[in-house]
Amino acid sequence: MSFIFGIVNFDQKAVSREEIRLLGNGVKWENFIVHTEGYGNVALGYCHHPQRQPKAGLFHGEDLLVLGDIRIYNNEELGKIFDYASPEEAFAKAYRLWGTDFANHINGDFAALIFDRCSEQAHLIRDHIGARPLSYRFDEHKLIFASHEFGLVKSGLFRTDLSEKKLINRFFSQGEMYKQTVFKQVLKVVPGHGVSFAADGSHTVRKYWNPESILKNKSLTFEVAAARL
């Protein structure tokens, strides 16, 4: 089990050590080991159980920073296109090659941040079915994100209240507000989607996976379909 977290200041102010420490302490579970790195206006980190190897990691390139909790299942296929030593490096090279829709070429479970130093944009990306959680708060000048929303709120870096509308929605098992967490101003990245944030205060949500476009073979029997799966 690993969690990721980070802060991006789009006003170019440096992220303080205290801020990233508070965020890490809020996100981690008891006795988890925390790793953090600071890059001026960007600070990133991950934490993991002390008796297990971390599944999360950081890639630091001249043009990109990649933080992710990533498992890739089509390594053989990707390896024919480019070489990489870690899942985070694979994401960096895939982003350079295919842009923000690169996740369409990844078969795996993942939650990740890509910070593009050239465009000063941050991209949060979540796997197709949402196996890896990812939440964030954005207030035009600052992006704060983490694997789970409770760590964001527990950090004390911002004030928020419970979302009564979300709680009522959850009580009646309605799914219209999936991206809203139980806290106001704290949102989830929807599975199969990415969210991009820019220095001008704008953010864009994009859907990279379209399961409705998958070809259907209605001639398959249940037994054959189950066997193939």
Side-chain angles (χ1 to χ4, degrees):
M1 175 69 72
S2 297
F3 297 133
I4 62 173
F5 56 90
I7 302 172
V8 180
N9 284 334
F10 288 98
D11 57 6
Q12 298 304 311
K13 292 181 180 178
V15 179
S16 70
R17 292 183 178 180
E18 180 64 8
E19 285 180 299
I20 197 64
R21 185 191 69 81
L22 287 172
L23 182 56
N25 286 342
V27 172
K28 74 173 185 176
W29 285 357
E30 186 176 1
N31 297 323
F32 268 33
I33 297 174
V34 178
H35 307 264
T36 60
E37 294 285 346
Y39 307 94
N41 66 313
V42 180
L44 306 174
Y46 61 92
C47 56
H48 63 94
H49 193 283
Q51 296 179 354
R52 300 176 185 174
Q53 290 295 318
K55 296 294 185 181
L58 273 162
F59 172 80
H60 181 194
E62 291 185 4
D63 58 335
L64 297 174
L65 296 173
V66 179
L67 168 69
D69 179 15
I70 304 167
R71 287 87 168 146
I72 297 177
Y73 304 135
N74 61 333
N75 283 295
E76 184 176 351
E77 179 183 342
L78 287 178
K80 295 177 181 178
I81 303 173
F82 47 72
D83 296 325
Y84 54 91
S86 68
E88 294 75 36
E89 184 180 7
F91 267 46
K93 291 189 173 181
Y95 172 81
R96 291 178 186 135
L97 183 60
W98 293 303
T100 54
D101 288 331
F102 75 93
N104 256 329
H105 301 269
I106 307 293
N107 177 8
D109 302 335
F110 49 83
L113 167 103
I114 296 178
F115 182 74
D116 190 323
R117 292 175 176 272
C118 299
S119 65
E120 286 292 310
Q121 289 187 326
H123 309 284
L124 293 178
I125 192 82
R126 192 175 177 195
D127 65 76
H128 302 68
I129 62 172
R132 303 292 153 193
L134 190 57
S135 299
Y136 66 93
R137 180 182 186 272
F138 183 56
D139 67 356
E140 295 186 0
H141 298 297
K142 177 174 288 188
L143 169 66
I144 307 176
F145 68 93
S147 292
H148 56 87
E149 61 268 30
F150 303 101
L152 291 177
V153 175
K154 189 178 178 181
S155 72
L157 293 175
F158 58 90
R159 284 187 166 187
T160 189
D161 295 308
L162 290 174
S163 171
E164 294 180 4
K165 188 175 180 180
K166 174 63 177 180
L167 291 171
I168 293 171
N169 186 270
R170 176 175 289 186
F171 179 79
F172 288 105
S173 300
Q174 298 174 349
E176 295 85 6
M177 295 180 64
Y178 179 84
K179 70 177 182 180
Q180 177 66 55
T181 69
V182 296
F183 302 105
K184 293 180 179 179
Q185 302 174 335
V186 180
L187 303 176
K188 299 176 187 175
V189 179
V190 177
H193 287 66
V195 187
S196 298
F197 307 87
D200 62 4
S202 65
H203 72 284
T204 304
V205 178
R206 66 189 181 284
K207 182 180 180 181
Y208 68 81
W209 186 46
N210 297 284
E212 63 274 12
S213 65
I214 296 174
L215 295 177
K216 297 179 181 179
N217 184 350
K218 296 184 178 180
S219 66
L220 285 176
T221 65
F222 174 81
E223 290 75 15
V224 173
R228 290 188 180 181
L229 177 62

